[in-house]
């Protein structure tokens, strides 16, 4: 049975780059609609159904940040990647505040764009599929309630802080799979800067201590990628 194509809305005002990106994405199997400014992009979005948005930041009539904020009011889950020619820090921060999942700085290669698109789709689909009301998780001999922020083993109860609980829940959602470091930072801290990264490392160390009473449970570092909660049978 043929898979349903992933639908992408590309909003890019560059008359050379826009059609080129559209052609490339369609060649890679994505159904891609192109709009050449923010106003048209909003119109196309609200009349259609899409799985991912690629938004240029600097556009006439309506910029990508404004468009993203409008879309986030209607749909808080759809993945958004910004295409930016401005300074990385300035755009990244503003973009994440507007609800972006990732950004890519021009000039970029088509291969890099494809890698970012696929990575964001993998992350968001995985989180969406487990983003239900599930609050109870089993981690080896431990039971974890993310709503009550409680980690239990035997009769020992560990009360977690909000961030500890959020981080452990993400690890549980991705159990035995890689939790992308930047995704975790953007989800919990809203920014993947250096200081938040150091903060997350401290929280990972705390979670390792909390989970030390079951030798079959461990949180391992995946170099250059993130973390993995391993539960050995």
């Amino acid at each position: 049975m043929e898979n349903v194509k992933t639908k992408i809305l590309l909003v890019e005002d560059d008359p050379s780059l826009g059609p080129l990106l559209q052609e490339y994405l369609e060649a890679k199997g994505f159904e891609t609609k192109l709009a050449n400014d923010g106003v048209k992009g909003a119109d196309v979005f609200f009349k259609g159904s899409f799985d991912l948005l690629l938004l240029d930041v600097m556009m006439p009539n309506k910029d990508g940040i404004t468009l993203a904020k409008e879309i986030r009011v209607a749909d808080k889950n759809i993945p958004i990647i910004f295409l930016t020619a401005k300074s990385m820090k300035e755009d990244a921060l503003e973009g994440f505040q507007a609800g972006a999942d990732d950004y890519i700085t021009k000039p970029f290669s088509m291969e890099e764009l494809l890698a970012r698109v696929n990575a964001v789709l993998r992350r968001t689909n995985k989180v969406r599929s487990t983003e239900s009301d599930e609050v109870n998780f089993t981690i080896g001999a431990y039971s974890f309630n993310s709503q009550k922020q409680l980690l239990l083993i035997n009769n020992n109860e560990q009360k977690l802080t909000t961030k500890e609980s959020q981080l452990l829940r993400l690890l549980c959602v991705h159990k035995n799979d890689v939790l992308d470091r930047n995704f975790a930072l953007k989800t919990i801290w809203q920014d993947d800067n250096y200081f938040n990264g150091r903060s997350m490392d401290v929280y990972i160390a705390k979670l390792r201590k909390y989970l030390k009473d079951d030798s079959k449970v461990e949180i391992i570092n995946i170099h250059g990628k993130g973390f993995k909660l391993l539960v050995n049978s």
Side-chain angles (χ1 to χ4, degrees), residues 100-133:
D101 294 275
D102 204 351
Y103 66 92
I104 183 167
T105 306
K106 298 176 185 177
F108 52 80
S109 69
M110 294 296 187
E111 290 76 14
E112 184 185 0
L113 176 66
L114 182 63
R116 296 292 184 97
V117 165
N118 284 328
V120 166
L121 285 169
R122 278 197 305 272
R123 291 200 307 250
T124 53
N125 286 339
K126 187 169 289 180
V127 169
R128 267 201 241 178
S129 65
T130 50
E131 209 176 46
S132 60
D133 297 329

PDB file of all heavy atoms in Angstrom, residues 100-133:
ATOM      1  N   ALA A 100       8.865  27.993  16.989  1.00  0.00           N
ATOM      2  CA  ALA A 100       9.587  27.205  15.983  1.00  0.00           C
ATOM      3  C   ALA A 100      10.122  25.908  16.574  1.00  0.00           C
ATOM      4  O   ALA A 100      10.416  25.832  17.769  1.00  0.00           O
ATOM      5  CB  ALA A 100      10.747  28.022  15.422  1.00  0.00           C
ATOM      6  N   ASP A 101      10.247  24.891  15.732  1.00  0.00           N
ATOM      7  CA  ASP A 101      10.868  23.634  16.138  1.00  0.00           C
ATOM      8  C   ASP A 101      12.339  23.592  15.737  1.00  0.00           C
ATOM      9  O   ASP A 101      13.127  22.874  16.337  1.00  0.00           O
ATOM     10  CB  ASP A 101      10.131  22.458  15.489  1.00  0.00           C
ATOM     11  CG  ASP A 101       8.709  22.330  16.016  1.00  0.00           C
ATOM     12  OD1 ASP A 101       8.534  21.704  17.062  1.00  0.00           O
ATOM     13  OD2 ASP A 101       7.793  22.895  15.397  1.00  0.00           O
ATOM     14  N   ASP A 102      12.689  24.367  14.710  1.00  0.00           N
ATOM     15  CA  ASP A 102      14.077  24.405  14.256  1.00  0.00           C
ATOM     16  C   ASP A 102      14.245  25.594  13.322  1.00  0.00           C
ATOM     17  O   ASP A 102      13.268  26.259  12.944  1.00  0.00           O
ATOM     18  CB  ASP A 102      14.443  23.118  13.516  1.00  0.00           C
ATOM     19  CG  ASP A 102      15.951  22.834  13.541  1.00  0.00           C
ATOM     20  OD1 ASP A 102      16.721  23.716  13.974  1.00  0.00           O
ATOM     21  OD2 ASP A 102      16.349  21.731  13.122  1.00  0.00           O
ATOM     22  N   TYR A 103      15.480  25.897  12.959  1.00  0.00           N
ATOM     23  CA  TYR A 103      15.763  26.960  11.997  1.00  0.00           C
ATOM     24  C   TYR A 103      16.971  26.544  11.180  1.00  0.00           C
ATOM     25  O   TYR A 103      17.776  25.718  11.601  1.00  0.00           O
ATOM     26  CB  TYR A 103      16.027  28.300  12.701  1.00  0.00           C
ATOM     27  CG  TYR A 103      17.277  28.289  13.537  1.00  0.00           C
ATOM     28  CD1 TYR A 103      18.504  28.700  13.011  1.00  0.00           C
ATOM     29  CD2 TYR A 103      17.249  27.849  14.854  1.00  0.00           C
ATOM     30  CE1 TYR A 103      19.656  28.655  13.762  1.00  0.00           C
ATOM     31  CE2 TYR A 103      18.394  27.806  15.622  1.00  0.00           C
ATOM     32  CZ  TYR A 103      19.597  28.211  15.075  1.00  0.00           C
ATOM     33  OH  TYR A 103      20.741  28.149  15.814  1.00  0.00           O
ATOM     34  N   ILE A 104      17.074  27.081   9.989  1.00  0.00           N
ATOM     35  CA  ILE A 104      18.222  26.801   9.130  1.00  0.00           C
ATOM     36  C   ILE A 104      18.659  28.116   8.493  1.00  0.00           C
ATOM     37  O   ILE A 104      17.833  28.891   8.030  1.00  0.00           O
ATOM     38  CB  ILE A 104      17.880  25.720   8.078  1.00  0.00           C
ATOM     39  CG1 ILE A 104      19.087  25.361   7.222  1.00  0.00           C
ATOM     40  CG2 ILE A 104      16.699  26.124   7.214  1.00  0.00           C
ATOM     41  CD1 ILE A 104      18.889  24.092   6.404  1.00  0.00           C
ATOM     42  N   THR A 105      19.950  28.387   8.548  1.00  0.00           N
ATOM     43  CA  THR A 105      20.469  29.682   8.108  1.00  0.00           C
ATOM     44  C   THR A 105      20.938  29.627   6.657  1.00  0.00           C
ATOM     45  O   THR A 105      21.673  28.720   6.266  1.00  0.00           O
ATOM     46  CB  THR A 105      21.641  30.123   9.015  1.00  0.00           C
ATOM     47  OG1 THR A 105      21.211  30.089  10.372  1.00  0.00           O
ATOM     48  CG2 THR A 105      22.071  31.541   8.683  1.00  0.00           C
ATOM     49  N   LYS A 106      20.482  30.589   5.856  1.00  0.00           N
ATOM     50  CA  LYS A 106      20.916  30.697   4.460  1.00  0.00           C
ATOM     51  C   LYS A 106      22.351  31.236   4.406  1.00  0.00           C
ATOM     52  O   LYS A 106      22.720  32.067   5.236  1.00  0.00           O
ATOM     53  CB  LYS A 106      20.000  31.658   3.699  1.00  0.00           C
ATOM     54  CG  LYS A 106      18.542  31.225   3.633  1.00  0.00           C
ATOM     55  CD  LYS A 106      17.724  32.312   2.946  1.00  0.00           C
ATOM     56  CE  LYS A 106      16.241  31.993   2.963  1.00  0.00           C
ATOM     57  NZ  LYS A 106      15.446  33.090   2.369  1.00  0.00           N
ATOM     58  N   PRO A 107      23.146  30.802   3.444  1.00  0.00           N
ATOM     59  CA  PRO A 107      22.828  29.764   2.448  1.00  0.00           C
ATOM     60  C   PRO A 107      22.960  28.369   3.060  1.00  0.00           C
ATOM     61  O   PRO A 107      23.811  28.143   3.918  1.00  0.00           O
ATOM     62  CB  PRO A 107      23.881  29.989   1.369  1.00  0.00           C
ATOM     63  CG  PRO A 107      25.053  30.569   2.102  1.00  0.00           C
ATOM     64  CD  PRO A 107      24.483  31.387   3.233  1.00  0.00           C
ATOM     65  N   PHE A 108      22.110  27.453   2.636  1.00  0.00           N
ATOM     66  CA  PHE A 108      22.175  26.081   3.132  1.00  0.00           C
ATOM     67  C   PHE A 108      22.125  25.120   1.947  1.00  0.00           C
ATOM     68  O   PHE A 108      21.669  25.483   0.857  1.00  0.00           O
ATOM     69  CB  PHE A 108      21.026  25.783   4.100  1.00  0.00           C
ATOM     70  CG  PHE A 108      19.660  26.130   3.552  1.00  0.00           C
ATOM     71  CD1 PHE A 108      18.997  25.287   2.673  1.00  0.00           C
ATOM     72  CD2 PHE A 108      19.044  27.330   3.926  1.00  0.00           C
ATOM     73  CE1 PHE A 108      17.743  25.614   2.175  1.00  0.00           C
ATOM     74  CE2 PHE A 108      17.783  27.666   3.423  1.00  0.00           C
ATOM     75  CZ  PHE A 108      17.135  26.801   2.544  1.00  0.00           C
ATOM     76  N   SER A 109      22.589  23.899   2.168  1.00  0.00           N
ATOM     77  CA  SER A 109      22.533  22.897   1.094  1.00  0.00           C
ATOM     78  C   SER A 109      21.176  22.210   1.136  1.00  0.00           C
ATOM     79  O   SER A 109      20.513  22.177   2.178  1.00  0.00           O
ATOM     80  CB  SER A 109      23.642  21.853   1.280  1.00  0.00           C
ATOM     81  OG  SER A 109      23.371  21.055   2.423  1.00  0.00           O
ATOM     82  N   MET A 110      20.763  21.678   0.009  1.00  0.00           N
ATOM     83  CA  MET A 110      19.502  20.947  -0.057  1.00  0.00           C
ATOM     84  C   MET A 110      19.535  19.734   0.879  1.00  0.00           C
ATOM     85  O   MET A 110      18.531  19.396   1.506  1.00  0.00           O
ATOM     86  CB  MET A 110      19.233  20.473  -1.494  1.00  0.00           C
ATOM     87  CG  MET A 110      19.006  21.609  -2.477  1.00  0.00           C
ATOM     88  SD  MET A 110      17.522  22.565  -2.068  1.00  0.00           S
ATOM     89  CE  MET A 110      17.426  23.633  -3.502  1.00  0.00           C
ATOM     90  N   GLU A 111      20.717  19.107   0.980  1.00  0.00           N
ATOM     91  CA  GLU A 111      20.845  17.927   1.842  1.00  0.00           C
ATOM     92  C   GLU A 111      20.635  18.297   3.306  1.00  0.00           C
ATOM     93  O   GLU A 111      20.007  17.556   4.066  1.00  0.00           O
ATOM     94  CB  GLU A 111      22.235  17.278   1.671  1.00  0.00           C
ATOM     95  CG  GLU A 111      22.451  16.608   0.327  1.00  0.00           C
ATOM     96  CD  GLU A 111      22.714  17.603  -0.808  1.00  0.00           C
ATOM     97  OE1 GLU A 111      22.984  18.789  -0.529  1.00  0.00           O
ATOM     98  OE2 GLU A 111      22.638  17.179  -1.982  1.00  0.00           O
ATOM     99  N   GLU A 112      21.149  19.479   3.700  1.00  0.00           N
ATOM    100  CA  GLU A 112      20.960  19.919   5.087  1.00  0.00           C
ATOM    101  C   GLU A 112      19.486  20.191   5.365  1.00  0.00           C
ATOM    102  O   GLU A 112      18.948  19.822   6.409  1.00  0.00           O
ATOM    103  CB  GLU A 112      21.785  21.181   5.387  1.00  0.00           C
ATOM    104  CG  GLU A 112      21.678  21.596   6.853  1.00  0.00           C
ATOM    105  CD  GLU A 112      22.390  22.906   7.162  1.00  0.00           C
ATOM    106  OE1 GLU A 112      22.978  23.517   6.256  1.00  0.00           O
ATOM    107  OE2 GLU A 112      22.332  23.319   8.332  1.00  0.00           O
ATOM    108  N   LEU A 113      18.825  20.846   4.403  1.00  0.00           N
ATOM    109  CA  LEU A 113      17.387  21.120   4.563  1.00  0.00           C
ATOM    110  C   LEU A 113      16.609  19.821   4.729  1.00  0.00           C
ATOM    111  O   LEU A 113      15.766  19.687   5.629  1.00  0.00           O
ATOM    112  CB  LEU A 113      16.856  21.897   3.371  1.00  0.00           C
ATOM    113  CG  LEU A 113      15.335  22.161   3.386  1.00  0.00           C
ATOM    114  CD1 LEU A 113      14.945  23.081   4.520  1.00  0.00           C
ATOM    115  CD2 LEU A 113      14.870  22.723   2.053  1.00  0.00           C
ATOM    116  N   LEU A 114      16.905  18.841   3.880  1.00  0.00           N
ATOM    117  CA  LEU A 114      16.201  17.561   3.948  1.00  0.00           C
ATOM    118  C   LEU A 114      16.437  16.875   5.296  1.00  0.00           C
ATOM    119  O   LEU A 114      15.506  16.313   5.895  1.00  0.00           O
ATOM    120  CB  LEU A 114      16.674  16.650   2.804  1.00  0.00           C
ATOM    121  CG  LEU A 114      15.994  15.286   2.706  1.00  0.00           C
ATOM    122  CD1 LEU A 114      14.504  15.433   2.414  1.00  0.00           C
ATOM    123  CD2 LEU A 114      16.663  14.435   1.629  1.00  0.00           C
ATOM    124  N   ALA A 115      17.685  16.938   5.783  1.00  0.00           N
ATOM    125  CA  ALA A 115      18.011  16.324   7.077  1.00  0.00           C
ATOM    126  C   ALA A 115      17.225  16.989   8.203  1.00  0.00           C
ATOM    127  O   ALA A 115      16.699  16.314   9.102  1.00  0.00           O
ATOM    128  CB  ALA A 115      19.513  16.421   7.341  1.00  0.00           C
ATOM    129  N   ARG A 116      17.132  18.333   8.158  1.00  0.00           N
ATOM    130  CA  ARG A 116      16.379  19.056   9.202  1.00  0.00           C
ATOM    131  C   ARG A 116      14.900  18.702   9.148  1.00  0.00           C
ATOM    132  O   ARG A 116      14.258  18.512  10.177  1.00  0.00           O
ATOM    133  CB  ARG A 116      16.552  20.570   9.031  1.00  0.00           C
ATOM    134  CG  ARG A 116      17.960  21.098   9.212  1.00  0.00           C
ATOM    135  CD  ARG A 116      18.432  20.981  10.653  1.00  0.00           C
ATOM    136  NE  ARG A 116      19.740  21.565  10.810  1.00  0.00           N
ATOM    137  CZ  ARG A 116      19.967  22.799  11.244  1.00  0.00           C
ATOM    138  NH1 ARG A 116      18.964  23.585  11.549  1.00  0.00           N
ATOM    139  NH2 ARG A 116      21.203  23.231  11.374  1.00  0.00           N
ATOM    140  N   VAL A 117      14.348  18.677   7.940  1.00  0.00           N
ATOM    141  CA  VAL A 117      12.920  18.344   7.768  1.00  0.00           C
ATOM    142  C   VAL A 117      12.631  16.962   8.335  1.00  0.00           C
ATOM    143  O   VAL A 117      11.700  16.773   9.123  1.00  0.00           O
ATOM    144  CB  VAL A 117      12.515  18.426   6.280  1.00  0.00           C
ATOM    145  CG1 VAL A 117      11.164  17.746   6.046  1.00  0.00           C
ATOM    146  CG2 VAL A 117      12.451  19.883   5.825  1.00  0.00           C
ATOM    147  N   ASN A 118      13.448  15.986   7.952  1.00  0.00           N
ATOM    148  CA  ASN A 118      13.226  14.609   8.428  1.00  0.00           C
ATOM    149  C   ASN A 118      13.403  14.492   9.940  1.00  0.00           C
ATOM    150  O   ASN A 118      12.643  13.776  10.604  1.00  0.00           O
ATOM    151  CB  ASN A 118      14.162  13.639   7.703  1.00  0.00           C
ATOM    152  CG  ASN A 118      13.700  13.362   6.277  1.00  0.00           C
ATOM    153  OD1 ASN A 118      12.500  13.364   6.001  1.00  0.00           O
ATOM    154  ND2 ASN A 118      14.639  13.133   5.376  1.00  0.00           N
ATOM    155  N   ALA A 119      14.400  15.201  10.491  1.00  0.00           N
ATOM    156  CA  ALA A 119      14.639  15.146  11.942  1.00  0.00           C
ATOM    157  C   ALA A 119      13.463  15.734  12.714  1.00  0.00           C
ATOM    158  O   ALA A 119      13.007  15.162  13.705  1.00  0.00           O
ATOM    159  CB  ALA A 119      15.932  15.892  12.289  1.00  0.00           C
ATOM    160  N   VAL A 120      12.957  16.877  12.254  1.00  0.00           N
ATOM    161  CA  VAL A 120      11.826  17.513  12.936  1.00  0.00           C
ATOM    162  C   VAL A 120      10.573  16.645  12.826  1.00  0.00           C
ATOM    163  O   VAL A 120       9.822  16.480  13.792  1.00  0.00           O
ATOM    164  CB  VAL A 120      11.566  18.936  12.382  1.00  0.00           C
ATOM    165  CG1 VAL A 120      10.208  19.470  12.838  1.00  0.00           C
ATOM    166  CG2 VAL A 120      12.663  19.889  12.847  1.00  0.00           C
ATOM    167  N   LEU A 121      10.338  16.061  11.663  1.00  0.00           N
ATOM    168  CA  LEU A 121       9.176  15.179  11.496  1.00  0.00           C
ATOM    169  C   LEU A 121       9.272  13.964  12.415  1.00  0.00           C
ATOM    170  O   LEU A 121       8.282  13.569  13.041  1.00  0.00           O
ATOM    171  CB  LEU A 121       9.052  14.724  10.043  1.00  0.00           C
ATOM    172  CG  LEU A 121       8.522  15.779   9.059  1.00  0.00           C
ATOM    173  CD1 LEU A 121       8.699  15.290   7.625  1.00  0.00           C
ATOM    174  CD2 LEU A 121       7.062  16.128   9.339  1.00  0.00           C
ATOM    175  N   ARG A 122      10.471  13.393  12.532  1.00  0.00           N
ATOM    176  CA  ARG A 122      10.651  12.237  13.426  1.00  0.00           C
ATOM    177  C   ARG A 122      10.370  12.624  14.869  1.00  0.00           C
ATOM    178  O   ARG A 122       9.661  11.932  15.583  1.00  0.00           O
ATOM    179  CB  ARG A 122      12.085  11.687  13.313  1.00  0.00           C
ATOM    180  CG  ARG A 122      12.311  10.761  12.151  1.00  0.00           C
ATOM    181  CD  ARG A 122      13.584   9.941  12.337  1.00  0.00           C
ATOM    182  NE  ARG A 122      14.743  10.772  12.573  1.00  0.00           N
ATOM    183  CZ  ARG A 122      15.510  11.272  11.595  1.00  0.00           C
ATOM    184  NH1 ARG A 122      15.202  11.044  10.336  1.00  0.00           N
ATOM    185  NH2 ARG A 122      16.557  12.012  11.881  1.00  0.00           N
ATOM    186  N   ARG A 123      10.953  13.756  15.305  1.00  0.00           N
ATOM    187  CA  ARG A 123      10.775  14.194  16.694  1.00  0.00           C
ATOM    188  C   ARG A 123       9.320  14.493  17.004  1.00  0.00           C
ATOM    189  O   ARG A 123       8.772  14.005  17.982  1.00  0.00           O
ATOM    190  CB  ARG A 123      11.599  15.464  16.954  1.00  0.00           C
ATOM    191  CG  ARG A 123      13.088  15.266  16.960  1.00  0.00           C
ATOM    192  CD  ARG A 123      13.779  16.398  17.683  1.00  0.00           C
ATOM    193  NE  ARG A 123      13.424  17.717  17.216  1.00  0.00           N
ATOM    194  CZ  ARG A 123      14.228  18.523  16.540  1.00  0.00           C
ATOM    195  NH1 ARG A 123      15.420  18.100  16.185  1.00  0.00           N
ATOM    196  NH2 ARG A 123      13.846  19.728  16.202  1.00  0.00           N
ATOM    197  N   THR A 124       8.704  15.327  16.167  1.00  0.00           N
ATOM    198  CA  THR A 124       7.361  15.797  16.482  1.00  0.00           C
ATOM    199  C   THR A 124       6.332  14.691  16.353  1.00  0.00           C
ATOM    200  O   THR A 124       5.400  14.609  17.147  1.00  0.00           O
ATOM    201  CB  THR A 124       6.964  16.987  15.596  1.00  0.00           C
ATOM    202  OG1 THR A 124       7.164  16.639  14.226  1.00  0.00           O
ATOM    203  CG2 THR A 124       7.789  18.217  15.919  1.00  0.00           C
ATOM    204  N   ASN A 125       6.502  13.802  15.382  1.00  0.00           N
ATOM    205  CA  ASN A 125       5.558  12.700  15.244  1.00  0.00           C
ATOM    206  C   ASN A 125       5.645  11.760  16.433  1.00  0.00           C
ATOM    207  O   ASN A 125       4.642  11.248  16.913  1.00  0.00           O
ATOM    208  CB  ASN A 125       5.800  11.922  13.944  1.00  0.00           C
ATOM    209  CG  ASN A 125       5.315  12.700  12.734  1.00  0.00           C
ATOM    210  OD1 ASN A 125       4.482  13.587  12.857  1.00  0.00           O
ATOM    211  ND2 ASN A 125       5.850  12.379  11.572  1.00  0.00           N
ATOM    212  N   LYS A 126       6.867  11.540  16.915  1.00  0.00           N
ATOM    213  CA  LYS A 126       7.046  10.654  18.056  1.00  0.00           C
ATOM    214  C   LYS A 126       6.418  11.264  19.304  1.00  0.00           C
ATOM    215  O   LYS A 126       5.723  10.596  20.059  1.00  0.00           O
ATOM    216  CB  LYS A 126       8.543  10.416  18.297  1.00  0.00           C
ATOM    217  CG  LYS A 126       8.810   9.375  19.369  1.00  0.00           C
ATOM    218  CD  LYS A 126      10.267   8.996  19.367  1.00  0.00           C
ATOM    219  CE  LYS A 126      10.618   8.187  18.145  1.00  0.00           C
ATOM    220  NZ  LYS A 126      12.015   7.801  18.090  1.00  0.00           N
ATOM    221  N   VAL A 127       6.653  12.559  19.482  1.00  0.00           N
ATOM    222  CA  VAL A 127       6.087  13.211  20.663  1.00  0.00           C
ATOM    223  C   VAL A 127       4.570  13.292  20.548  1.00  0.00           C
ATOM    224  O   VAL A 127       3.844  13.049  21.493  1.00  0.00           O
ATOM    225  CB  VAL A 127       6.698  14.620  20.849  1.00  0.00           C
ATOM    226  CG1 VAL A 127       5.925  15.401  21.887  1.00  0.00           C
ATOM    227  CG2 VAL A 127       8.145  14.490  21.283  1.00  0.00           C
ATOM    228  N   ARG A 128       4.075  13.616  19.351  1.00  0.00           N
ATOM    229  CA  ARG A 128       2.630  13.716  19.168  1.00  0.00           C
ATOM    230  C   ARG A 128       1.935  12.392  19.439  1.00  0.00           C
ATOM    231  O   ARG A 128       0.876  12.346  20.036  1.00  0.00           O
ATOM    232  CB  ARG A 128       2.306  14.165  17.741  1.00  0.00           C
ATOM    233  CG  ARG A 128       2.152  15.660  17.608  1.00  0.00           C
ATOM    234  CD  ARG A 128       1.349  15.966  16.377  1.00  0.00           C
ATOM    235  NE  ARG A 128       2.150  16.753  15.468  1.00  0.00           N
ATOM    236  CZ  ARG A 128       1.735  17.147  14.292  1.00  0.00           C
ATOM    237  NH1 ARG A 128       0.554  16.815  13.858  1.00  0.00           N
ATOM    238  NH2 ARG A 128       2.497  17.872  13.514  1.00  0.00           N
ATOM    239  N   SER A 129       2.556  11.306  18.986  1.00  0.00           N
ATOM    240  CA  SER A 129       1.920  10.005  19.141  1.00  0.00           C
ATOM    241  C   SER A 129       1.869   9.566  20.600  1.00  0.00           C
ATOM    242  O   SER A 129       1.108   8.691  20.953  1.00  0.00           O
ATOM    243  CB  SER A 129       2.677   8.953  18.328  1.00  0.00           C
ATOM    244  OG  SER A 129       3.974   8.770  18.847  1.00  0.00           O
ATOM    245  N   THR A 130       2.689  10.172  21.445  1.00  0.00           N
ATOM    246  CA  THR A 130       2.696   9.806  22.856  1.00  0.00           C
ATOM    247  C   THR A 130       2.339  11.004  23.726  1.00  0.00           C
ATOM    248  O   THR A 130       2.567  11.005  24.916  1.00  0.00           O
ATOM    249  CB  THR A 130       4.099   9.288  23.262  1.00  0.00           C
ATOM    250  OG1 THR A 130       5.070  10.216  22.824  1.00  0.00           O
ATOM    251  CG2 THR A 130       4.374   7.936  22.659  1.00  0.00           C
ATOM    252  N   GLU A 131       1.794  12.026  23.099  1.00  0.00           N
ATOM    253  CA  GLU A 131       1.489  13.255  23.829  1.00  0.00           C
ATOM    254  C   GLU A 131       0.051  13.233  24.345  1.00  0.00           C
ATOM    255  O   GLU A 131      -0.573  14.252  24.511  1.00  0.00           O
ATOM    256  CB  GLU A 131       1.684  14.467  22.895  1.00  0.00           C
ATOM    257  CG  GLU A 131       2.073  15.734  23.628  1.00  0.00           C
ATOM    258  CD  GLU A 131       2.335  16.860  22.661  1.00  0.00           C
ATOM    259  OE1 GLU A 131       1.532  17.055  21.740  1.00  0.00           O
ATOM    260  OE2 GLU A 131       3.353  17.541  22.839  1.00  0.00           O
ATOM    261  N   SER A 132      -0.460  12.021  24.570  1.00  0.00           N
ATOM    262  CA  SER A 132      -1.825  11.867  25.051  1.00  0.00           C
ATOM    263  C   SER A 132      -1.854  12.246  26.526  1.00  0.00           C
ATOM    264  O   SER A 132      -0.996  12.941  27.022  1.00  0.00           O
ATOM    265  CB  SER A 132      -2.267  10.419  24.871  1.00  0.00           C
ATOM    266  OG  SER A 132      -1.393   9.592  25.607  1.00  0.00           O
ATOM    267  N   ASP A 133      -2.848  11.749  27.214  1.00  0.00           N
ATOM    268  CA  ASP A 133      -2.962  12.054  28.640  1.00  0.00           C
ATOM    269  C   ASP A 133      -2.167  11.080  29.493  1.00  0.00           C
ATOM    270  O   ASP A 133      -2.331  11.047  30.707  1.00  0.00           O
ATOM    271  CB  ASP A 133      -4.443  12.027  29.055  1.00  0.00           C
ATOM    272  CG  ASP A 133      -5.236  13.101  28.336  1.00  0.00           C
ATOM    273  OD1 ASP A 133      -4.643  14.143  28.029  1.00  0.00           O
ATOM    274  OD2 ASP A 133      -6.427  12.883  28.076  1.00  0.00           O
TER     275      ASP A 133
END
